[in-house]
Amino acid sequence: MSPDSTVPKILPLLAQRLSTVIQNRIVVIPETFGSGTCSGYVFNEHIRLLILNYDLREDLIVKSPEVMPPGKMILFKFQNVIPETQGANRPSVLIATSHMQTDGVVPIHSHRSTLNIEIDAQYLKSLLDTSHLPPLLQSLIENTQPLLFEEMIFPSLQTLVDAIVSEPVEETFKLFFLRVKVEELICRLLMVLKKRDQTPLYALNPHDLEIIYTIRDQMLARLETPPVIEELARQAHMSSSKFKRLFRQIFGDSLFSYYQTFRIKEAARLLKEEKLSVAEVGYRLGFTNLSHFSKVFHEHIGTKPKQYSRS
């Protein structure tokens, strides 16, 4: 492959808008526009990677030169996975069919820390033994309806992301090294998705998706208040059954189990980083019974909160 053919076509357009140039497949944001970098790699006609880690003084809109027909590409969008930008944000990955992104307009937001992988659905299908695919993976790879799934990033995935973003590799092996890591990332995510058993799947529309995420974010911002499904469904203008069904489909867990996981993660953070007492943490997160708090904490973390705070 020639050097130019390994550069995603969006990068030259971005460099032009920012009055700069591409060097080694990297656009460095000029100080007059902000800071950070955008880099990209086209491994072959089937798979490509963008690493976006920047702050701009204002949003930009760029018309994508690579609009694929519906059903062509599957997107894996890793969020808050670049170590220096994680902070209190939740590292996660969105897995979306191309039917979820069809307008061809790329919003270059003022802040972005993502790693985007696009892979051809038919190429991905050719790598798998499709005779044993569960319905969820079958629907994803067939790529015929608008679907989106979110998974939290666990340590083995974060290790792969760290290698892609920051491991020094000489140019001779760079594309080969990154492609292997990218394909391993995708494989590991498919193995996780395979554990989900929800069927049937329901086609998503942008309006419902936006509402589900808005309510999810509000719920996680108020971890001291256990969610009431009927109230959240009413807020979403959905029936309780539809709300529960879409939430589980997107996040792979029931609403309350998802909430409880984040509640206990926050409890662990408060115990370790803020050095709060077990009672302070329990009451702050809405537990009225500290014995119950200790039991739930042990179920999720594997140790009692008092022992955890001392370890």
Side-chain angles (χ1 to χ4, degrees):
M1 298 178 71
S2 67
D4 285 349
S5 68
T6 65
V7 177
K9 294 178 182 178
I10 191 71
L11 287 187
L13 292 181
L14 180 59
Q16 185 178 22
R17 289 291 301 273
L18 298 175
S19 303
T20 188
V21 295
I22 302 173
Q23 293 185 323
N24 297 324
R25 307 184 193 88
I26 300 173
V27 174
V28 177
I29 309 299
E31 289 185 9
T32 52
F33 290 93
S35 62
T37 61
C38 302
S39 56
Y41 305 84
V42 177
F43 302 115
N44 52 45
E45 61 183 310
H46 307 299
I47 187 166
R48 56 183 181 239
L49 165 70
L50 277 176
I51 303 172
L52 309 175
N53 185 22
Y54 60 76
D55 284 287
L56 295 177
R57 301 187 192 281
E58 59 183 35
D59 293 354
L60 298 175
I61 295 293
V62 178
K63 186 72 175 178
S64 174
E66 298 174 294
V67 180
M68 295 293 180
K72 178 67 173 174
M73 307 297 281
I74 297 171
L75 171 68
F76 294 78
K77 180 178 181 179
F78 294 78
Q79 307 176 110
N80 306 312
V81 292
I82 299 177
E84 64 269 23
T85 64
Q86 284 177 0
N89 295 315
R90 299 177 296 272
S92 64
V93 56
L94 303 180
I95 303 156
T97 61
S98 55
H99 294 263
M100 295 297 297
Q101 14 147 7
T102 58
D103 57 9
V105 173
V106 179
I108 309 298
H109 296 297
S110 55
H111 174 76
R112 180 58 59 85
S113 174
T114 63
L115 187 151
N116 295 345
I117 299 167
E118 287 185 301
I119 184 166
D120 182 277
Q122 290 303 310
Y123 173 69
L124 181 56
K125 187 176 182 179
S126 72
L127 299 176
L128 304 172
D129 178 357
T130 56
S131 63
H132 296 94
L133 285 182
L136 186 149
L137 285 186
Q138 191 70 48
S139 296
L140 174 67
I141 293 170
E142 289 299 330
N143 203 357
T144 57
Q145 58 180 326
L147 298 172
L148 182 140
F149 311 104
E150 178 171 329
E151 281 290 340
M152 304 311 296
I153 299 297
F154 45 88
S156 62
L157 285 184
Q158 186 63 56
T159 298
L160 286 169
V161 171
D162 293 345
I164 289 170
V165 172
S166 56
E167 186 164 333
V169 179
E170 61 180 276
E171 195 61 30
T172 300
F173 304 105
K174 187 79 171 179
L175 285 173
F176 182 26
F177 174 84
L178 290 177
R179 181 175 61 79
V180 170
K181 295 297 181 183
V182 161
E183 292 195 351
E184 183 179 354
L185 260 182
I186 293 172
C187 181
R188 289 190 177 277
L189 279 167
L190 295 181
M191 290 163 67
V192 173
L193 283 179
K194 186 177 183 292
K195 297 176 183 177
R196 296 192 183 188
D197 58 2
Q198 180 168 333
T199 184
L201 293 174
Y202 298 89
L204 296 172
N205 64 68
H207 178 67
D208 285 348
L209 192 62
E210 182 179 0
I211 288 174
I212 293 287
Y213 267 92
T214 297
I215 291 175
R216 189 282 304 264
D217 291 345
Q218 291 173 354
M219 178 181 72
L220 295 185
R222 298 193 296 266
L223 289 172
E224 72 282 0
T225 306
V228 178
I229 288 177
E230 291 74 18
E231 293 179 3
L232 298 182
R234 188 161 50 248
Q235 184 181 342
H237 303 289
M238 298 179 188
S239 66
S240 294
S241 60
K242 178 181 179 180
F243 181 81
K244 289 190 293 184
R245 185 179 69 222
L246 292 185
F247 192 96
R248 180 180 284 276
Q249 178 172 312
I250 294 168
F251 299 107
D253 205 351
S254 71
L255 182 136
F256 188 79
S257 176
Y258 185 89
Y259 157 79
Q260 196 76 297
T261 296
F262 279 94
R263 193 186 194 191
I264 297 304
K265 283 183 178 179
E266 176 63 6
R269 187 191 72 80
L270 291 172
L271 288 167
K272 269 288 175 65
E273 297 181 17
E274 303 292 332
K275 306 299 182 184
L276 299 184
S277 70
V278 173
E280 287 174 316
V281 172
Y283 291 135
R284 178 180 290 195
L285 292 176
F287 288 93
T288 56
N289 184 317
L290 292 181
S291 294
H292 179 60
F293 168 53
S294 182
K295 178 176 180 291
V296 174
F297 190 94
H298 185 271
E299 289 172 352
H300 282 77
I301 304 297
T303 185
K304 299 289 186 181
K306 186 170 288 188
Q307 293 172 320
Y308 180 83
S309 64
R310 293 172 177 169
S311 62

